[in-house]
Amino acid sequence: MYVIFEGGEGTGKSSTMKAVAERLEQNHNYEALLTYHPGSTALGTHIRKLVKYPQLISEDIIMDPLSRQVLYMADTINFIELILKPSLAKNKTVFADRSSFISGLVYATAEEVDQTEIMRLMQIVDPPRADRVYVFICPWEISQKRVNAQSRLSETKGDHYDNESSVFHDKINQIYGNLQCYNQEFAMMISRVAALDNIVHVDASLPQDKVVDFVYNDYLAASAWNPRISTSDIS
């Protein structure tokens, strides 16, 4: 199984992914490989610092939205070739905190990058299709409190997106909430990553234990069928 956890800042996707993996291991002796984007490879670690905290490298770095997405895609290609494909070939389950093919499209759209440019960028590589995509939706006023709490514990005081306006984050939520039907071109690009009916929206405003229960139970149900066919094909 290849499972992607998507959503805006502070929606709890990372903590939920970890909690679901821990529960699967405890209850079923079932191990999932946890990956984070950018940052799961040695190259990705450096890309993560560059795109999220450029000021820690140089105060002179000015990064436009398209350049940022190109760097994210470089991380994704490195992850696909070094981790994802070899792991799936060995029948390992991979949990991914984000996919540049989805989050890159969402965030680039919110930053008003020409969709044609994003489509060209996504044609560089064909990713293995995910068996499940969990999209975490949470109002920004709730997510912001979580982000601020995390930032107070960090020397970096939030990354590039953490410090964007509420208008920007509301737009991110709107796009994620309409992932399968934002527009025809958008849906076509998303379908390269996963069948549209394998995308599950999660109410991330609920208490964490309720969110974990929902994802855990859905994952158990989804993993009971052949992971490479769509839910619409299951009677």
Side-chain angles (χ1 to χ4, degrees):
M1 295 279 284
Y2 171 35
V3 182
I4 298 171
F5 293 73
E6 272 290 351
E9 314 305 312
T11 53
K13 59 190 178 302
S14 304
S15 56
T16 300
M17 180 181 77
K18 183 179 179 181
V20 170
E22 290 175 349
R23 190 177 294 185
L24 286 169
E25 187 170 6
Q26 292 170 359
N27 295 347
H28 304 279
N29 195 28
Y30 182 80
E31 185 176 357
L33 175 64
L34 303 186
T35 65
Y36 302 86
H37 304 282
S40 290
T41 65
L43 174 62
T45 300
H46 293 284
I47 291 176
R48 184 181 186 87
K49 183 176 181 181
L50 179 59
V51 297
K52 295 177 80 68
Y53 311 104
Q55 72 279 4
L56 298 181
I57 299 174
S58 172
E59 294 290 344
D60 296 327
I61 294 177
I62 300 174
M63 196 175 303
D64 61 278
L66 182 57
S67 296
R68 186 176 296 108
Q69 296 308 325
V70 170
L71 289 169
Y72 279 131
M73 188 57 67
D75 165 76
T76 294
I77 294 171
N78 200 230
F79 161 73
I80 288 173
E81 297 301 326
L82 298 185
I83 297 178
L84 183 57
K85 286 182 178 178
S87 297
L88 295 178
K90 296 176 182 177
N91 292 321
K92 293 183 178 180
T93 289
V94 178
F95 281 5
D97 181 344
R98 291 198 185 280
S99 159
S100 286
F101 288 92
I102 299 178
S103 58
L105 181 58
V106 171
Y107 279 77
T109 299
E111 291 186 300
E112 299 184 351
V113 176
D114 188 333
Q115 205 167 68
T116 303
E117 296 297 322
I118 298 301
M119 289 178 69
R120 290 171 58 192
L121 184 59
M122 292 179 68
Q123 295 299 324
I124 293 175
V125 64
D126 286 321
R129 295 184 92 202
D131 303 298
R132 216 61 167 173
V133 178
Y134 294 107
V135 180
F136 289 64
I137 304 294
C138 185
W140 175 238
E141 57 265 26
I142 297 176
S143 297
Q144 187 176 32
K145 293 178 182 178
R146 299 171 181 173
V147 168
N148 290 340
Q150 294 169 355
S151 296
R152 284 194 292 270
L153 302 176
S154 170
E155 296 179 0
T156 59
K157 304 304 178 185
D159 64 27
H160 167 76
Y161 288 122
D162 291 340
N163 297 308
E164 284 282 4
S165 69
S166 59
V167 173
F168 175 82
H169 288 288
D170 287 342
K171 190 170 184 179
I172 291 292
N173 257 330
Q174 178 190 14
I175 299 171
Y176 270 125
N178 295 280
L179 204 59
Q180 297 103 313
C181 56
Y182 188 75
N183 61 44
Q184 185 176 3
E185 292 78 11
F186 197 101
M188 287 175 61
M189 286 188 279
I190 294 295
S191 66
R192 294 185 66 231
V193 184
L196 296 182
D197 52 3
N198 282 340
I199 297 174
V200 179
H201 284 83
V202 179
D203 183 357
S205 66
L206 295 172
Q208 175 75 5
D209 60 335
K210 299 293 184 183
V211 176
V212 173
D213 285 344
F214 174 82
V215 175
Y216 173 78
N217 290 326
D218 180 85
Y219 177 81
L220 288 181
S223 61
W225 43 263
N226 185 333
R228 293 297 170 187
I229 56 179
S230 165
T231 51
S232 64
D233 298 323
I234 304 300
S235 59

